[in-house]
Amino acid sequence: MPEHNSTRHDRDGVARAALLLLDEVGLADLSMRRIAGALDVQPSALYWHFASKQELLAELADRITATMPRADADVLTTARGIRDALFTYRDGAELVLSTSALRLGSSPAQTALESALRRHGADDPENRAAALLHFVLGHATLVQQRMHADSHGATIGDGVHDITAGLDRVFDLGVTALAGTPVADDEVSELPTPRRDRA
Amino acid sequence: MPEHNSTRHDRDGVARAALLLLDEVGLADLSMRRIAGALDVQPSALYWHFASKQELLAELADRITATMPRADADVLTTARGIRDALFTYRDGAELVLSTSALRLGSSPAQTALESALRRHGADDPENRAAALLHFVLGHATLVQQRMHADSHGATIGDGVHDITAGLDRVFDLGVTALAGTPVADDEVSELPTPRRDRA
DNA sequence: ACCTGAACACCGTTCAAGT
DNA sequence: ACCTGAACACCGTTCAAGT
């Protein structure tokens, strides 16, 4: 059921319609002509609001990653927040990955990871944050593609549960390992990390 | 300069031409019509060898990942070998990532990582291998896109050296962290679960 | 076994012209 | 400020027909 707006549109409206359509049809079928159709408008009309499809996709990627988690969360929670933001829209991870080639060091996601790592007392927080982001993007892209493939592919038994659970374990293991062991407790002047003496 | 073969082609020849063309024009411009043109053939001729473009791309991805490193290498060497295989062709990482949604647990890359992890004495080698592969794919995709973006984008000074070097550090840090600390040396005999009593 | 020729239903993008 | 209409140079895929 199309939108049928008799009003004219602005940049925000176009982006919102495109995001809705992305969730319906997926990235491969998200054409300028389809977006125009959803807005009851000629394809050429979109080029008043965006210079190119690439620019429109970049806007969508920015909107997807704009939903960033609490600023005071720990590393695992922050990483999960990023992953879940990518999961909010169909093919969100692939879209962000395709788009985030530029501006590698400045994304809000990487910033959030970096400060969480600093609170955690990890060494080399900049590079660790980058590695963590690369892992999350790769992982989320693969998981999302697999979900899509399973949904209309040959489903053998009910292995879906096991697969999803297994992938969640892979995610937690990856994030935990990449967060790193905090540096020696007595070296951290400002934020004394809890010592593990409960064994 | 096109190929100009007057002979007919087989599946292997089509795949090789496509791989060559991929390196020249990149994934976005790798159309069936262009591949056909490189072979001096009508586009429809390709459909005798491959059922769809998707199937052809999957074949290319398989060929890219078929170059796997020595079977007895350590984890870092194995991971670097996978990354370098992805770097062999333009957009190789993106292509493999797009294609490897299916058959997640059976790739030769993951198998190589898993046995390297076992030799390293890491715990939970299956999930670690998966996490490692996700990281390598995400990292390589981002690096490769950035290389492409830099090559015809706004280059500020000579920051390319620093960027590449920084990304290499991120890669090594990520792989090392994901490889995990080996379990205590004297516990590794058969497989008795290690008790952590070294604190 | 391998390819041509023609067709079908699509693409992104540009640009004069309308309101 | 926002859109139409028409055009241009492309896509992937199918299918009868050729050799």
Side-chain angles (χ1 to χ4, degrees), chain A residues 4-197:
Chain A
H4 180 46
N5 271 347
S6 58
T7 59
R8 304 182 103 124
H9 308 281
D10 56 0
R11 201 179 152 95
D12 181 65
V14 172
R16 294 165 71 114
L19 223 33
L20 247 58
L21 193 59
L22 170 65
D23 217 31
E24 283 175 23
V25 303
L27 187 56
D29 289 334
L30 187 73
S31 67
M32 295 297 267
R33 297 175 115 102
R34 264 183 181 267
I35 297 168
L39 290 165
D40 256 323
V41 136
Q42 296 294 322
S44 51
L46 301 179
Y47 290 85
W48 199 92
H49 303 286
F50 293 93
S52 65
K53 185 183 185 183
Q54 167 109 313
E55 188 182 299
L56 172 49
L57 292 181
E59 171 72 27
L60 301 189
D62 283 349
R63 282 168 187 246
I64 288 173
T65 50
T67 317
M68 275 302 103
R70 307 266 359 260
D72 60 336
D74 60 21
V75 180
L76 186 56
T77 305
T78 306
R80 280 184 180 147
I82 295 168
R83 178 198 57 179
D84 293 345
L86 298 174
F87 283 171
T88 305
Y89 292 94
R90 167 126 86 120
D91 294 332
E94 191 184 343
L95 173 57
V96 170
L97 190 61
S98 312
T99 296
S100 65
L102 332 138
R103 63 199 180 333
L104 247 195
S106 61
S107 81
Q110 191 158 345
T111 307
L113 284 169
E114 197 176 321
S115 65
L117 283 165
R118 266 184 228 284
R119 273 191 306 275
H120 182 246
D123 67 319
D124 204 353
E126 297 94 0
N127 286 327
R128 276 200 132 80
L132 225 14
L133 189 61
H134 296 183
F135 169 71
V136 173
L137 282 169
H139 175 84
T141 302
L142 284 167
V143 169
Q144 222 165 13
Q145 279 175 176
R146 176 169 264 271
M147 284 168 48
H148 179 247
D150 283 350
S151 74
H152 65 288
T155 316
I156 22 156
D158 57 343
V160 181
H161 245 182
D162 299 348
I163 286 169
T164 309
L167 287 173
D168 272 4
R169 292 207 55 221
V170 169
F171 182 80
D172 287 5
L173 189 157
V175 172
T176 307
L178 287 168
T181 310
V183 295
D185 301 20
D186 27 306
E187 309 280 350
V188 191
S189 50
E190 211 51 65
L191 322 165
T193 0
R195 43 218 111 156
R196 34 173 171 72
D197 48 6

